[in-house]
Amino acid sequence: LHIPGSTLQNLLPLENGKERSDLISDDLIQRVLQDVTLWDHIEAKGGLEVSFQDMHFSAGQKQLLSIARAILHQIEFKTNIILMDEVTSNLDNDAREAVLSTMNIAFRGCTRIEISHNVRDTMECDVILTLSNGWLIRTDIVDQVDELVEKQFPGSTTASPSSNPKAASSET
């Protein structure tokens, strides 16, 4: 979702024309943008009040902005269910790792439904549902995730997923 207006209006679209929640301070916004590796770009282009269009965000940066928006939304509205579709598809490996780490902290305690073609993105999930042509063809639980990664990426070493309550969906 990208709306006409400032970068700040795109981060907090439900706040347009309303007083901002006391939970969302300028410092918090800056910290979240730093966590998703976007703050330096936004600051270099003139800050949050600069129009979204004038930021000239890449596809990956737009994805990072959407993640920052989701984090701020969760903080303000205490959202317990997070739906993410190909959340790291346009990110390089460094940005992907930083964002996954940030999301694991920001969405701790939330139910996360993640749609991903990359099993590495589901390492923190408790359950993986594999779909093919719209049909559920496999259900894997945490203990089986390392085996899935090894099949997709032979020779890779993986960390065990945490026991946070999350779910993932992977379409093949």
Side-chain angles (χ1 to χ4, degrees), residues 119 138 140 145-156:
V119 74
R138 182 177 177 155
D140 295 290
V145 172
D146 287 342
E147 293 172 29
L148 285 173
V149 172
E150 186 60 32
K151 284 179 187 175
Q152 187 171 347
F153 305 100
S156 69

Side-chain angles (χ1 to χ4, degrees), residues 79-92:
T79 310
N80 291 319
I81 299 175
I82 312 295
L83 175 61
M84 295 176 280
D85 185 4
E86 298 291 350
V87 73
T88 63
S89 63
N90 291 313
L91 305 180
D92 62 34

Side-chain angles (χ1 to χ4, degrees), residues 31-72:
R31 190 174 74 236
V32 168
L33 290 169
Q34 287 169 333
D35 288 346
V36 299
T37 70
L38 259 186
W39 178 248
D40 290 342
H41 177 84
I42 290 171
E43 190 176 39
K45 295 285 187 176
L48 291 169
E49 294 303 328
V50 172
S51 78
F52 178 83
Q53 185 174 351
D54 290 342
M55 285 290 168
H56 302 286
F57 288 122
S58 68
Q61 289 170 321
K62 288 176 184 176
Q63 203 163 12
L64 294 171
L65 189 79
S66 293
I67 294 165
R69 181 188 307 124
I71 292 169
L72 292 168

Side-chain angles (χ1 to χ4, degrees), residues 4-152:
S6 71
T7 303
L8 181 61
Q9 289 170 319
N10 274 273
L11 273 171
L12 303 171
L14 299 177
E15 301 294 325
N16 286 336
K18 293 190 255 175
E19 184 103 8
R20 188 185 320 160
S21 163
D22 292 339
L23 296 173
I24 308 298
S25 67
D26 290 342
D27 289 341
L28 176 64
I29 293 169
Q30 181 177 340
R31 190 174 74 236
V32 168
L33 290 169
Q34 287 169 333
D35 288 346
V36 299
T37 70
L38 259 186
W39 178 248
D40 290 342
H41 177 84
I42 290 171
E43 190 176 39
K45 295 285 187 176
L48 291 169
E49 294 303 328
V50 172
S51 78
F52 178 83
Q53 185 174 351
D54 290 342
M55 285 290 168
H56 302 286
F57 288 122
S58 68
Q61 289 170 321
K62 288 176 184 176
Q63 203 163 12
L64 294 171
L65 189 79
S66 293
I67 294 165
R69 181 188 307 124
I71 292 169
L72 292 168
H73 182 87
Q74 195 281 327
I75 291 168
E76 184 171 8
F77 296 103
K78 307 295 184 229
T79 310
N80 291 319
I81 299 175
I82 312 295
L83 175 61
M84 295 176 280
D85 185 4
E86 298 291 350
V87 73
T88 63
S89 63
N90 291 313
L91 305 180
D92 62 34
N93 281 335
D94 291 338
R96 183 184 145 279
E97 290 299 323
V99 164
L100 288 175
S101 176
T102 296
M103 289 188 322
N104 288 336
I105 294 166
F107 300 138
R108 184 180 307 130
C110 296
T111 298
R112 289 177 15 193
I113 302 170
E114 300 179 29
I115 301 166
S116 179
H117 287 83
N118 185 346
V119 74
R120 287 182 177 171
D121 288 354
T122 63
M123 291 307 299
E124 292 291 323
C125 296
D126 293 328
V127 177
I128 296 176
L129 306 174
T130 303
L131 304 174
S132 181
N133 296 320
W135 292 93
L136 177 65
I137 62 168
R138 182 177 177 155
T139 302
D140 295 290
I141 56 173
V142 139
D143 296 337
Q144 300 164 331
V145 172
D146 287 342
E147 293 172 29
L148 285 173
V149 172
E150 186 60 32
K151 284 179 187 175
Q152 187 171 347

